[in-house]
Structures are given as C-alpha cells and as structure tokens.
C-alpha cells in the first residue's frame, strides 16, 4: 500500500492496545470517584477526537460528560469544573501550549487530571496526575487516540454496570491491528480512485453523524484543510437539511461517512438526497468492511477506527496526486500565533 509503514503501524496500534490494563484501572478509578463531570479537553484534532466518546458516554450512561476546547476552558472557566471533576487531556506531542495551560489550570484548582500523549517527558505528561503514553506520528495518531478512547469509554461503561459484555469486546479489541490493516487494504484502491478523480477538486462537503461527527469535523479541518489546503464544509447529518443542501450542485463533491450506529438513518436521508442531486458523491460506509473477529453488536462502536483506516489511504493518495506533502504547512507551528 502507498506510504504504508508496517513496522510503525504495528508498533503504534500494538502500543495502544497494550495500555488496556492501565486504562481499565483508570476507568474504575474515575467511576469510583463519582465525578460531577468528566471533561474531555483538547485542541484542534485532539479536541475533535474526543467527540465520539462524549457521544458514546452521554447516550449510554448518566455520567455527565463534556468536551471542551482547552483554550476556551482557561479563558472563560467553567462552573461545572470543581475538585469533584475528572479531566482527560490529549496532545500527541505533549507540547500544545493551550492544552498544557488547561492542565495547569486544572491542577491549580485541585482537579484530577489524566493526560494522553506520545512523549512521557513532555510538558503535558509532567503536569497531569496520570498519563497514558503511546508514541505515534501524524499518520497514526488517530488510531492511537481512538483505540485508547474506545477502550476507556467502554471500560467506564462496564464499571458503571452499563456494558456487561465488555470483557468479550476488550478481548476482540486485542486483535484490532489485523482488523484495521484489512480495512486499509480494502480501502486502498477506492482511495486511489477518489484521489485520481478529485486531484484538482478544490472544494468538498463532508457529512457525518453520531460517533462519526467528530471524525468528520476532524478530517475536514485537520487533514483536508490543514494538510492539503483544500476548502471544505463539514456538516452534521442531522443538520444537512437546514441550509447546507442549498449549496449542492451537480458537480459538488460530497463525502459521506456512514457508521453502523443508531444515527445511520440520518445519513441514509443525506445519501438519498445527495445521490439525487449531485453526480460527485463518495460514500464511506463501515458496513462495507468485514471486521473479522468483531461481533455484530460491537461494530457500531468502531466507526471512528474504521474511518481512520479508510481515510489514511485517502490522505496518502491525495498527497501523491496533488504533489502536496501531508507535513507541509504555511502557518501552523511555522509563524507565531
């Protein structure tokens, strides 16, 4: 596969899975603390990566969960943030200044913190109470985050008595590397075809819902805009009807991310409209992938991980046909901001 580093891929995904004992211990401690709110805090892609798990927990438990932008938390505060709160913060480098500042803000208020990072010696790792460390890079960060957050959310639900089949799910997650590698292999020719067809397309409309809404936002902003300098609009599947559909023309590129969760009917509605009025609709549906070894009842939980694997293929092929390296930036961490 184009640009696929087998050794790095195995190391990152294996590393994330190996954190399960530590993750389960943290989940039990979070539930035992009976927090008034579990805050999920990040910046940019690390913030959007939290949304699927806010969705998962708020739709399956009564535990109050909120995702918050790190810089906004420090600037505006939050009355729900108290010594009874638990805060999970993520930054792959561990140096994102807004996220580090949010961790310091929480520590100064006696709030329990957990950090997710790729560097055990980073500023974030040094300031939080507990740290989950898994080295990764921009191409594997999404899988690393999503494996850890999937396991953490599921383990929290299990500790709350809301997920009795968690042990079976966790055992199946031990084999997730092979599952996602197979997804990449299947998606690669589809991604190559998309990239060839859209090598000069400058605008895409991306739509997703439920646990794939955060993913859709992330891929639109942090990959297509930041890493490919493409103009995009990201729209929630439930909100597509309220305005965005008026922008659809015959040549409008629509990219639809569809999962196997309870919001699938929202995306079926979008798909029906899109395919009627545009000749440039691309559908990425997790149901198209076998996910060997994953029971049907768990497939809806893995939507973000499946789409991580699909879209890294898309990103690598866009990088090639557009001759635009994924690590090329004009402003981000290049100029002072």
């Amino acid at each position: 596969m184009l640009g696929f580093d087998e050794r790095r891929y195995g190391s990152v995904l294996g590393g994330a899975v190996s954190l399960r004992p530590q993750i389960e211990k943290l989940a039990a401690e979070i539930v035992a603390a009976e927090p008034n709110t579990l805050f999920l805090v990040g910046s940019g892609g690390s913030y959007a990566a939290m949304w699927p798990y806010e969705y998962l927990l708020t739709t399956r438990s009564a535990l109050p969960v909120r995702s918050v932008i790190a810089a906004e938390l420090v600037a505006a505060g939050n009355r729900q943030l108290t010594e009874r709160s638990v805060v999970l913060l993520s930054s792959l480098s561990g140096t994102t200044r807004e996220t580090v500042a949010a961790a310091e803000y929480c520590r100064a208020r006696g709030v329990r913190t957990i950090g997710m990072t790729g560097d055990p010696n980073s500023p974030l790792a040094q300031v939080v109470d507990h740290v989950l460390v898994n080295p990764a890079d921009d191409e594997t960060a999404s899988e690393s985050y999503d494996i850890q957050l999937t396991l953490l959310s599921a383990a929290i639900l299990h500790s709350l008595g809301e997920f009795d089949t968690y042990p079976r799910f966790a055992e199946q997650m031990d084999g997730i590397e092979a599952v996602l590698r197979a997804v990449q292999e299947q998606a690669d020719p589809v991604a190559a075809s998309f990239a060839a067809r859209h090598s000069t397309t400058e605008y895409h409309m991306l739509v997703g819902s439920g646990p794939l809404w955060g993913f859709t936002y992330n891929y639109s902003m942090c990959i297509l805009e930041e890493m490919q300098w493409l103009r995009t609009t990201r729209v929630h599947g439930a909100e597509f009807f309220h305005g965005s559909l008026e922008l659809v023309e015959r040549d409008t590129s629509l990219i639809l991310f569809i999962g196997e969760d309870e919001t699938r009917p929202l995306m079926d509605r979008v798909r029906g409209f899109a395919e009627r009025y545009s000749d440039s609709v691309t559908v990425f549906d997790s149901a198209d992938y076998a996910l060997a070894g994953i029971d049907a009842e768990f497939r809806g939980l893995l939507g973000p991980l499946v789409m991580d694997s699909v879209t890294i293929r898309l990103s690598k092929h866009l990088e090639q046909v557009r001759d635009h390296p994924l690590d090329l930036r004009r402003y981000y961490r290049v100029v002072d901001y």
Side-chain angles (χ1 to χ4, degrees):
M1 290 184 289
L2 177 67
F4 181 75
D5 187 328
E6 184 173 359
R7 182 199 59 79
R8 179 178 59 194
Y9 187 76
S11 174
V12 173
L13 270 68
V17 169
S18 72
L19 291 171
R20 178 156 70 93
Q22 188 178 351
I23 287 170
E24 290 174 342
K25 183 174 183 292
L26 282 172
E29 291 177 359
I30 289 170
V31 172
E34 298 183 342
N36 69 326
T37 308
L38 172 62
F39 285 89
L40 307 177
V41 179
S43 302
S46 296
Y47 165 62
M50 300 289 197
W51 295 2
Y53 309 99
E54 177 186 33
Y55 173 88
L56 175 61
L57 290 168
T58 55
T59 56
R60 288 166 172 78
S61 81
L63 175 68
V65 182
R66 292 196 62 186
S67 56
V68 181
I69 301 172
E72 187 172 74
L73 176 64
V74 174
N78 191 301
R79 291 291 297 274
Q80 294 178 17
L81 183 72
T82 72
E83 292 181 358
R84 291 187 52 233
S85 304
V86 175
V87 177
L88 174 66
L89 308 104
S90 65
S91 167
L92 180 61
S93 68
T95 62
T96 307
R97 65 185 184 187
E98 294 87 354
T99 304
V100 174
E104 292 171 339
Y105 178 91
C106 292
R107 183 175 65 174
R109 287 156 178 77
V111 181
R112 184 180 307 186
T113 54
I114 302 166
M116 294 173 57
T117 182
D119 183 354
N121 300 310
S122 65
L124 179 63
Q126 301 308 308
V127 76
V128 295
D129 298 313
H130 307 279
V131 63
L132 294 168
V133 178
N134 189 42
D137 58 17
D138 285 345
E139 292 183 18
T140 53
S142 292
E143 287 94 337
S144 179
Y145 278 143
D146 280 326
I147 289 172
Q148 293 176 67
L149 289 168
T150 298
L151 287 170
L152 180 63
S153 300
I156 287 173
L157 290 172
H158 181 56
S159 293
L160 288 167
E162 301 285 352
F163 193 179
D164 293 341
T165 54
Y166 170 77
R168 176 158 50 90
F169 172 71
E171 182 179 356
Q172 292 178 14
M173 283 291 290
D174 286 344
I176 198 66
E177 178 190 343
V179 172
L180 297 181
R181 185 191 300 263
V183 172
Q184 287 209 32
E185 290 170 351
Q186 182 179 337
D188 194 58
V190 178
S193 176
F194 175 94
R197 189 166 66 254
H198 289 286
S199 61
T200 59
T201 302
E202 292 296 326
Y203 171 76
H204 301 274
M205 184 180 293
L206 286 74
V207 190
S209 65
L212 289 179
W213 167 232
F215 168 86
T216 302
Y217 178 95
N218 195 353
Y219 193 70
S220 170
M221 180 181 70
C222 294
I223 309 300
L224 295 185
E225 290 184 351
E226 180 181 322
M227 298 186 182
Q228 287 294 291
W229 301 353
L230 291 168
R231 291 171 175 83
T232 71
T233 296
R234 48 256 182 195
V235 190
H236 193 289
E239 290 292 280
F240 179 79
F241 180 76
H242 301 283
S244 297
L245 83 173
E246 290 294 339
L247 299 178
V248 175
E249 300 181 56
R250 278 291 162 199
D251 62 349
T252 302
S253 172
L254 290 107
I255 305 174
L256 312 184
F257 298 111
I258 303 179
E260 297 164 78
D261 59 276
E262 53 278 344
T263 70
R264 187 179 180 92
L266 303 178
M267 292 304 297
D268 288 340
R269 184 189 190 196
V270 174
R271 181 175 185 172
F273 177 91
E275 292 182 338
R276 182 178 179 185
Y277 293 104
S278 172
D279 296 325
S280 187
V281 180
T282 304
V283 176
F284 295 113
D285 187 343
S286 67
D288 292 337
Y289 298 89
L291 309 188
I294 302 297
D295 290 346
E297 65 189 281
F298 302 140
R299 291 179 61 101
L301 300 175
L302 300 184
L305 274 166
V306 173
M307 293 307 161
D308 288 340
S309 299
V310 170
T311 53
I312 186 56
R313 297 289 89 223
L314 192 60
S315 301
K316 296 303 291 184
H317 284 285
L318 284 171
E319 175 183 51
Q320 182 184 59
V321 301
R322 301 187 72 250
D323 191 25
H324 187 117
L326 292 167
D327 59 0
L328 177 63
R329 303 289 188 277
R330 270 190 294 234
Y331 308 115
Y332 182 65
R333 297 201 175 195
V334 174
V335 303
D336 186 52
Y337 177 77

